[in-house]
Amino acid sequence: MSAALQRKIDGLDLPAGATATIGGVSEDLNETLLHMALAMLAAVAIVFMLLVATFRSLIQPLILLVSIPFAATGAIGLLVATDTAMGVPAMIGMLMLIGIVVTNAIVLIDLINQYRERGLGIVEAVVEGGRHRLRPILMTALATIFALLPMALGITGEGGFIAQPLAVVVIGGLITSTLLTLLLVPTLYAMVELRKERRAKRKAEKRAAKKKAKDDDTTHHPEQPDVSPLDATLLNLLD
């Protein structure tokens, strides 16, 4: 509605010095959506800083945050499929998704790190972590989805126009983010950690090769003992 009205306003032939703008509820809605978008960016930044402090790494928090864009994709896709408008309730649902989505990924990656501390390899730790966290993550997501289903169907009464977009966004985001948490996040984790492990192995091999070369050079060219000035004088006299 606002976009169509703005196009008609842009097509008006106004006299010099005259302007026409959209105000009222539409203007307030646009400002609210802008503030919600800024709040989402702030939430992502806060979550990232907390993850960095928790995992003491910059790479693993980035892997965890990968699921957020895919959650937004699922939420927007379900909004389009159900012909639900993107309003303030939907933006609130997006804000909720940031915390919900990252929680499942944190639980998975933390267990994988625990298995690695016990001595398991990267791939083995990822497989074991995914196997043990599959059921809890799925049950948590399904419980949330079914709890929000009445709201998404609009059977909650007069407040359905507020609750329905929020529920649709959360359900759509949970569907895609749960699948990607179980598939994409462990895959990215394994790729990054295997690359780090290979790089550390190459550095260790280079250090070992340099040390071996230095030891061989010392063996073939032993250092001459230091000669004091008095011994040097005696050697000269003997010569």
Side-chain angles (χ1 to χ4, degrees), residues 87-116:
V88 175
M91 295 293 286
I92 295 174
M94 292 280 192
L95 194 58
M96 293 172 56
L97 273 178
I98 295 174
I100 296 173
V101 168
V102 173
T103 300
N104 289 335
I106 290 173
V107 170
L108 177 60
I109 296 299
D110 183 64
L111 183 62
I112 293 174
N113 288 334
Q114 290 180 24
Y115 280 134
R116 290 191 62 192

PDB file of all heavy atoms in Angstrom, residues 87-116:
ATOM      1  N   GLY A  87       5.822  -7.182   8.936  1.00  0.00           N
ATOM      2  CA  GLY A  87       5.570  -6.038   9.793  1.00  0.00           C
ATOM      3  C   GLY A  87       6.391  -6.113  11.058  1.00  0.00           C
ATOM      4  O   GLY A  87       7.360  -6.873  11.162  1.00  0.00           O
ATOM      5  N   VAL A  88       5.993  -5.339  12.040  1.00  0.00           N
ATOM      6  CA  VAL A  88       6.717  -5.314  13.315  1.00  0.00           C
ATOM      7  C   VAL A  88       6.684  -6.675  14.013  1.00  0.00           C
ATOM      8  O   VAL A  88       7.717  -7.135  14.515  1.00  0.00           O
ATOM      9  CB  VAL A  88       6.145  -4.205  14.227  1.00  0.00           C
ATOM     10  CG1 VAL A  88       6.808  -4.247  15.600  1.00  0.00           C
ATOM     11  CG2 VAL A  88       6.350  -2.841  13.581  1.00  0.00           C
ATOM     12  N   PRO A  89       5.539  -7.384  14.085  1.00  0.00           N
ATOM     13  CA  PRO A  89       5.563  -8.718  14.721  1.00  0.00           C
ATOM     14  C   PRO A  89       6.534  -9.681  14.039  1.00  0.00           C
ATOM     15  O   PRO A  89       7.214 -10.461  14.713  1.00  0.00           O
ATOM     16  CB  PRO A  89       4.113  -9.197  14.579  1.00  0.00           C
ATOM     17  CG  PRO A  89       3.308  -7.956  14.468  1.00  0.00           C
ATOM     18  CD  PRO A  89       4.165  -7.002  13.710  1.00  0.00           C
ATOM     19  N   ALA A  90       6.606  -9.627  12.703  1.00  0.00           N
ATOM     20  CA  ALA A  90       7.548 -10.496  11.990  1.00  0.00           C
ATOM     21  C   ALA A  90       8.988 -10.132  12.327  1.00  0.00           C
ATOM     22  O   ALA A  90       9.840 -11.016  12.474  1.00  0.00           O
ATOM     23  CB  ALA A  90       7.303 -10.400  10.490  1.00  0.00           C
ATOM     24  N   MET A  91       9.282  -8.843  12.456  1.00  0.00           N
ATOM     25  CA  MET A  91      10.631  -8.423  12.820  1.00  0.00           C
ATOM     26  C   MET A  91      10.984  -8.868  14.238  1.00  0.00           C
ATOM     27  O   MET A  91      12.132  -9.233  14.519  1.00  0.00           O
ATOM     28  CB  MET A  91      10.744  -6.907  12.700  1.00  0.00           C
ATOM     29  CG  MET A  91      10.594  -6.381  11.279  1.00  0.00           C
ATOM     30  SD  MET A  91      11.955  -6.886  10.199  1.00  0.00           S
ATOM     31  CE  MET A  91      13.259  -5.828  10.794  1.00  0.00           C
ATOM     32  N   ILE A  92      10.001  -8.846  15.134  1.00  0.00           N
ATOM     33  CA  ILE A  92      10.241  -9.361  16.487  1.00  0.00           C
ATOM     34  C   ILE A  92      10.564 -10.857  16.437  1.00  0.00           C
ATOM     35  O   ILE A  92      11.432 -11.347  17.157  1.00  0.00           O
ATOM     36  CB  ILE A  92       9.017  -9.085  17.382  1.00  0.00           C
ATOM     37  CG1 ILE A  92       8.815  -7.583  17.563  1.00  0.00           C
ATOM     38  CG2 ILE A  92       9.173  -9.768  18.741  1.00  0.00           C
ATOM     39  CD1 ILE A  92       7.553  -7.220  18.319  1.00  0.00           C
ATOM     40  N   GLY A  93       9.864 -11.584  15.572  1.00  0.00           N
ATOM     41  CA  GLY A  93      10.172 -12.999  15.390  1.00  0.00           C
ATOM     42  C   GLY A  93      11.583 -13.209  14.864  1.00  0.00           C
ATOM     43  O   GLY A  93      12.289 -14.130  15.297  1.00  0.00           O
ATOM     44  N   MET A  94      12.026 -12.354  13.944  1.00  0.00           N
ATOM     45  CA  MET A  94      13.406 -12.430  13.446  1.00  0.00           C
ATOM     46  C   MET A  94      14.401 -12.214  14.586  1.00  0.00           C
ATOM     47  O   MET A  94      15.433 -12.888  14.668  1.00  0.00           O
ATOM     48  CB  MET A  94      13.619 -11.370  12.363  1.00  0.00           C
ATOM     49  CG  MET A  94      12.861 -11.617  11.087  1.00  0.00           C
ATOM     50  SD  MET A  94      13.692 -12.825  10.035  1.00  0.00           S
ATOM     51  CE  MET A  94      12.763 -12.584   8.513  1.00  0.00           C
ATOM     52  N   LEU A  95      14.099 -11.258  15.448  1.00  0.00           N
ATOM     53  CA  LEU A  95      14.981 -10.973  16.583  1.00  0.00           C
ATOM     54  C   LEU A  95      15.054 -12.166  17.532  1.00  0.00           C
ATOM     55  O   LEU A  95      16.130 -12.501  18.049  1.00  0.00           O
ATOM     56  CB  LEU A  95      14.461  -9.734  17.321  1.00  0.00           C
ATOM     57  CG  LEU A  95      15.388  -9.071  18.335  1.00  0.00           C
ATOM     58  CD1 LEU A  95      16.692  -8.633  17.689  1.00  0.00           C
ATOM     59  CD2 LEU A  95      14.692  -7.886  18.973  1.00  0.00           C
ATOM     60  N   MET A  96      13.929 -12.828  17.740  1.00  0.00           N
ATOM     61  CA  MET A  96      13.917 -14.027  18.575  1.00  0.00           C
ATOM     62  C   MET A  96      14.737 -15.147  17.947  1.00  0.00           C
ATOM     63  O   MET A  96      15.409 -15.917  18.646  1.00  0.00           O
ATOM     64  CB  MET A  96      12.483 -14.498  18.788  1.00  0.00           C
ATOM     65  CG  MET A  96      11.624 -13.564  19.623  1.00  0.00           C
ATOM     66  SD  MET A  96       9.885 -14.074  19.634  1.00  0.00           S
ATOM     67  CE  MET A  96      10.019 -15.757  20.233  1.00  0.00           C
ATOM     68  N   LEU A  97      14.679 -15.260  16.626  1.00  0.00           N
ATOM     69  CA  LEU A  97      15.394 -16.341  15.942  1.00  0.00           C
ATOM     70  C   LEU A  97      16.895 -16.284  16.167  1.00  0.00           C
ATOM     71  O   LEU A  97      17.566 -17.322  16.171  1.00  0.00           O
ATOM     72  CB  LEU A  97      15.102 -16.280  14.435  1.00  0.00           C
ATOM     73  CG  LEU A  97      13.865 -17.020  13.930  1.00  0.00           C
ATOM     74  CD1 LEU A  97      13.700 -16.810  12.443  1.00  0.00           C
ATOM     75  CD2 LEU A  97      13.949 -18.501  14.259  1.00  0.00           C
ATOM     76  N   ILE A  98      17.443 -15.081  16.313  1.00  0.00           N
ATOM     77  CA  ILE A  98      18.894 -14.952  16.482  1.00  0.00           C
ATOM     78  C   ILE A  98      19.370 -15.756  17.686  1.00  0.00           C
ATOM     79  O   ILE A  98      20.356 -16.490  17.613  1.00  0.00           O
ATOM     80  CB  ILE A  98      19.277 -13.463  16.619  1.00  0.00           C
ATOM     81  CG1 ILE A  98      18.972 -12.724  15.323  1.00  0.00           C
ATOM     82  CG2 ILE A  98      20.752 -13.310  16.988  1.00  0.00           C
ATOM     83  CD1 ILE A  98      19.172 -11.226  15.396  1.00  0.00           C
ATOM     84  N   GLY A  99      18.639 -15.644  18.800  1.00  0.00           N
ATOM     85  CA  GLY A  99      19.021 -16.405  19.985  1.00  0.00           C
ATOM     86  C   GLY A  99      18.675 -17.877  19.896  1.00  0.00           C
ATOM     87  O   GLY A  99      19.462 -18.730  20.310  1.00  0.00           O
ATOM     88  N   ILE A 100      17.514 -18.189  19.312  1.00  0.00           N
ATOM     89  CA  ILE A 100      17.075 -19.584  19.235  1.00  0.00           C
ATOM     90  C   ILE A 100      17.996 -20.395  18.337  1.00  0.00           C
ATOM     91  O   ILE A 100      18.417 -21.513  18.682  1.00  0.00           O
ATOM     92  CB  ILE A 100      15.625 -19.661  18.732  1.00  0.00           C
ATOM     93  CG1 ILE A 100      14.677 -18.985  19.727  1.00  0.00           C
ATOM     94  CG2 ILE A 100      15.207 -21.104  18.515  1.00  0.00           C
ATOM     95  CD1 ILE A 100      13.247 -18.869  19.218  1.00  0.00           C
ATOM     96  N   VAL A 101      18.338 -19.851  17.192  1.00  0.00           N
ATOM     97  CA  VAL A 101      19.147 -20.579  16.211  1.00  0.00           C
ATOM     98  C   VAL A 101      20.550 -20.828  16.735  1.00  0.00           C
ATOM     99  O   VAL A 101      21.095 -21.934  16.629  1.00  0.00           O
ATOM    100  CB  VAL A 101      19.188 -19.783  14.892  1.00  0.00           C
ATOM    101  CG1 VAL A 101      20.242 -20.332  13.961  1.00  0.00           C
ATOM    102  CG2 VAL A 101      17.827 -19.816  14.215  1.00  0.00           C
ATOM    103  N   VAL A 102      21.159 -19.800  17.313  1.00  0.00           N
ATOM    104  CA  VAL A 102      22.539 -19.937  17.778  1.00  0.00           C
ATOM    105  C   VAL A 102      22.635 -20.920  18.938  1.00  0.00           C
ATOM    106  O   VAL A 102      23.647 -21.611  19.092  1.00  0.00           O
ATOM    107  CB  VAL A 102      23.088 -18.547  18.171  1.00  0.00           C
ATOM    108  CG1 VAL A 102      24.455 -18.666  18.818  1.00  0.00           C
ATOM    109  CG2 VAL A 102      23.176 -17.656  16.949  1.00  0.00           C
ATOM    110  N   THR A 103      21.595 -21.027  19.733  1.00  0.00           N
ATOM    111  CA  THR A 103      21.629 -21.936  20.889  1.00  0.00           C
ATOM    112  C   THR A 103      21.857 -23.375  20.459  1.00  0.00           C
ATOM    113  O   THR A 103      22.689 -24.092  21.043  1.00  0.00           O
ATOM    114  CB  THR A 103      20.313 -21.829  21.677  1.00  0.00           C
ATOM    115  OG1 THR A 103      20.140 -20.485  22.126  1.00  0.00           O
ATOM    116  CG2 THR A 103      20.326 -22.756  22.878  1.00  0.00           C
ATOM    117  N   ASN A 104      21.144 -23.837  19.443  1.00  0.00           N
ATOM    118  CA  ASN A 104      21.320 -25.215  18.972  1.00  0.00           C
ATOM    119  C   ASN A 104      22.736 -25.446  18.460  1.00  0.00           C
ATOM    120  O   ASN A 104      23.345 -26.491  18.715  1.00  0.00           O
ATOM    121  CB  ASN A 104      20.309 -25.517  17.862  1.00  0.00           C
ATOM    122  CG  ASN A 104      18.890 -25.627  18.380  1.00  0.00           C
ATOM    123  OD1 ASN A 104      18.674 -25.926  19.550  1.00  0.00           O
ATOM    124  ND2 ASN A 104      17.922 -25.363  17.524  1.00  0.00           N
ATOM    125  N   ALA A 105      23.279 -24.474  17.724  1.00  0.00           N
ATOM    126  CA  ALA A 105      24.636 -24.625  17.198  1.00  0.00           C
ATOM    127  C   ALA A 105      25.666 -24.632  18.320  1.00  0.00           C
ATOM    128  O   ALA A 105      26.653 -25.371  18.263  1.00  0.00           O
ATOM    129  CB  ALA A 105      24.930 -23.501  16.198  1.00  0.00           C
ATOM    130  N   ILE A 106      25.453 -23.814  19.357  1.00  0.00           N
ATOM    131  CA  ILE A 106      26.388 -23.787  20.487  1.00  0.00           C
ATOM    132  C   ILE A 106      26.438 -25.144  21.180  1.00  0.00           C
ATOM    133  O   ILE A 106      27.516 -25.659  21.505  1.00  0.00           O
ATOM    134  CB  ILE A 106      25.973 -22.690  21.488  1.00  0.00           C
ATOM    135  CG1 ILE A 106      26.214 -21.304  20.898  1.00  0.00           C
ATOM    136  CG2 ILE A 106      26.748 -22.822  22.796  1.00  0.00           C
ATOM    137  CD1 ILE A 106      25.687 -20.180  21.748  1.00  0.00           C
ATOM    138  N   VAL A 107      25.276 -25.734  21.407  1.00  0.00           N
ATOM    139  CA  VAL A 107      25.215 -27.043  22.070  1.00  0.00           C
ATOM    140  C   VAL A 107      25.995 -28.082  21.274  1.00  0.00           C
ATOM    141  O   VAL A 107      26.732 -28.902  21.842  1.00  0.00           O
ATOM    142  CB  VAL A 107      23.741 -27.465  22.250  1.00  0.00           C
ATOM    143  CG1 VAL A 107      23.648 -28.908  22.701  1.00  0.00           C
ATOM    144  CG2 VAL A 107      23.040 -26.558  23.242  1.00  0.00           C
ATOM    145  N   LEU A 108      25.868 -28.054  19.954  1.00  0.00           N
ATOM    146  CA  LEU A 108      26.546 -29.032  19.101  1.00  0.00           C
ATOM    147  C   LEU A 108      28.060 -28.822  19.096  1.00  0.00           C
ATOM    148  O   LEU A 108      28.837 -29.764  19.301  1.00  0.00           O
ATOM    149  CB  LEU A 108      25.986 -28.948  17.683  1.00  0.00           C
ATOM    150  CG  LEU A 108      26.631 -29.853  16.642  1.00  0.00           C
ATOM    151  CD1 LEU A 108      26.494 -31.317  17.039  1.00  0.00           C
ATOM    152  CD2 LEU A 108      26.007 -29.622  15.269  1.00  0.00           C
ATOM    153  N   ILE A 109      28.503 -27.586  18.851  1.00  0.00           N
ATOM    154  CA  ILE A 109      29.939 -27.313  18.753  1.00  0.00           C
ATOM    155  C   ILE A 109      30.627 -27.529  20.097  1.00  0.00           C
ATOM    156  O   ILE A 109      31.763 -28.010  20.152  1.00  0.00           O
ATOM    157  CB  ILE A 109      30.170 -25.880  18.244  1.00  0.00           C
ATOM    158  CG1 ILE A 109      29.637 -25.734  16.821  1.00  0.00           C
ATOM    159  CG2 ILE A 109      31.651 -25.531  18.269  1.00  0.00           C
ATOM    160  CD1 ILE A 109      30.295 -26.652  15.813  1.00  0.00           C
ATOM    161  N   ASP A 110      29.963 -27.199  21.193  1.00  0.00           N
ATOM    162  CA  ASP A 110      30.567 -27.387  22.509  1.00  0.00           C
ATOM    163  C   ASP A 110      30.820 -28.864  22.780  1.00  0.00           C
ATOM    164  O   ASP A 110      31.876 -29.228  23.324  1.00  0.00           O
ATOM    165  CB  ASP A 110      29.652 -26.788  23.577  1.00  0.00           C
ATOM    166  CG  ASP A 110      30.258 -26.893  24.969  1.00  0.00           C
ATOM    167  OD1 ASP A 110      31.309 -26.272  25.206  1.00  0.00           O
ATOM    168  OD2 ASP A 110      29.684 -27.602  25.817  1.00  0.00           O
ATOM    169  N   LEU A 111      29.891 -29.725  22.415  1.00  0.00           N
ATOM    170  CA  LEU A 111      30.104 -31.161  22.614  1.00  0.00           C
ATOM    171  C   LEU A 111      31.236 -31.674  21.726  1.00  0.00           C
ATOM    172  O   LEU A 111      32.050 -32.506  22.166  1.00  0.00           O
ATOM    173  CB  LEU A 111      28.809 -31.925  22.315  1.00  0.00           C
ATOM    174  CG  LEU A 111      28.873 -33.438  22.554  1.00  0.00           C
ATOM    175  CD1 LEU A 111      29.160 -33.744  24.012  1.00  0.00           C
ATOM    176  CD2 LEU A 111      27.580 -34.106  22.121  1.00  0.00           C
ATOM    177  N   ILE A 112      31.315 -31.184  20.502  1.00  0.00           N
ATOM    178  CA  ILE A 112      32.414 -31.586  19.613  1.00  0.00           C
ATOM    179  C   ILE A 112      33.762 -31.193  20.218  1.00  0.00           C
ATOM    180  O   ILE A 112      34.728 -31.972  20.198  1.00  0.00           O
ATOM    181  CB  ILE A 112      32.227 -30.962  18.222  1.00  0.00           C
ATOM    182  CG1 ILE A 112      30.987 -31.557  17.539  1.00  0.00           C
ATOM    183  CG2 ILE A 112      33.463 -31.191  17.356  1.00  0.00           C
ATOM    184  CD1 ILE A 112      30.638 -30.893  16.225  1.00  0.00           C
ATOM    185  N   ASN A 113      33.854 -29.992  20.767  1.00  0.00           N
ATOM    186  CA  ASN A 113      35.104 -29.556  21.404  1.00  0.00           C
ATOM    187  C   ASN A 113      35.445 -30.425  22.604  1.00  0.00           C
ATOM    188  O   ASN A 113      36.623 -30.719  22.862  1.00  0.00           O
ATOM    189  CB  ASN A 113      34.991 -28.092  21.830  1.00  0.00           C
ATOM    190  CG  ASN A 113      35.011 -27.136  20.644  1.00  0.00           C
ATOM    191  OD1 ASN A 113      35.555 -27.447  19.590  1.00  0.00           O
ATOM    192  ND2 ASN A 113      34.423 -25.973  20.810  1.00  0.00           N
ATOM    193  N   GLN A 114      34.439 -30.848  23.360  1.00  0.00           N
ATOM    194  CA  GLN A 114      34.690 -31.728  24.504  1.00  0.00           C
ATOM    195  C   GLN A 114      35.253 -33.072  24.048  1.00  0.00           C
ATOM    196  O   GLN A 114      36.188 -33.610  24.663  1.00  0.00           O
ATOM    197  CB  GLN A 114      33.393 -31.945  25.286  1.00  0.00           C
ATOM    198  CG  GLN A 114      32.899 -30.722  26.030  1.00  0.00           C
ATOM    199  CD  GLN A 114      31.622 -30.993  26.792  1.00  0.00           C
ATOM    200  OE1 GLN A 114      31.316 -32.141  27.142  1.00  0.00           O
ATOM    201  NE2 GLN A 114      30.848 -29.952  27.051  1.00  0.00           N
ATOM    202  N   TYR A 115      34.710 -33.609  22.973  1.00  0.00           N
ATOM    203  CA  TYR A 115      35.239 -34.879  22.456  1.00  0.00           C
ATOM    204  C   TYR A 115      36.676 -34.721  21.967  1.00  0.00           C
ATOM    205  O   TYR A 115      37.503 -35.627  22.137  1.00  0.00           O
ATOM    206  CB  TYR A 115      34.349 -35.384  21.320  1.00  0.00           C
ATOM    207  CG  TYR A 115      33.081 -36.068  21.782  1.00  0.00           C
ATOM    208  CD1 TYR A 115      31.861 -35.773  21.200  1.00  0.00           C
ATOM    209  CD2 TYR A 115      33.115 -37.019  22.791  1.00  0.00           C
ATOM    210  CE1 TYR A 115      30.687 -36.398  21.623  1.00  0.00           C
ATOM    211  CE2 TYR A 115      31.958 -37.647  23.229  1.00  0.00           C
ATOM    212  CZ  TYR A 115      30.755 -37.327  22.632  1.00  0.00           C
ATOM    213  OH  TYR A 115      29.610 -37.933  23.065  1.00  0.00           O
ATOM    214  N   ARG A 116      36.994 -33.586  21.374  1.00  0.00           N
ATOM    215  CA  ARG A 116      38.370 -33.371  20.909  1.00  0.00           C
ATOM    216  C   ARG A 116      39.333 -33.263  22.085  1.00  0.00           C
ATOM    217  O   ARG A 116      40.480 -33.713  22.000  1.00  0.00           O
ATOM    218  CB  ARG A 116      38.439 -32.108  20.048  1.00  0.00           C
ATOM    219  CG  ARG A 116      37.742 -32.256  18.712  1.00  0.00           C
ATOM    220  CD  ARG A 116      38.061 -31.085  17.806  1.00  0.00           C
ATOM    221  NE  ARG A 116      39.479 -31.020  17.524  1.00  0.00           N
ATOM    222  CZ  ARG A 116      40.068 -29.983  16.947  1.00  0.00           C
ATOM    223  NH1 ARG A 116      39.359 -28.925  16.604  1.00  0.00           N
ATOM    224  NH2 ARG A 116      41.367 -29.997  16.710  1.00  0.00           N
TER     225      ARG A 116
END
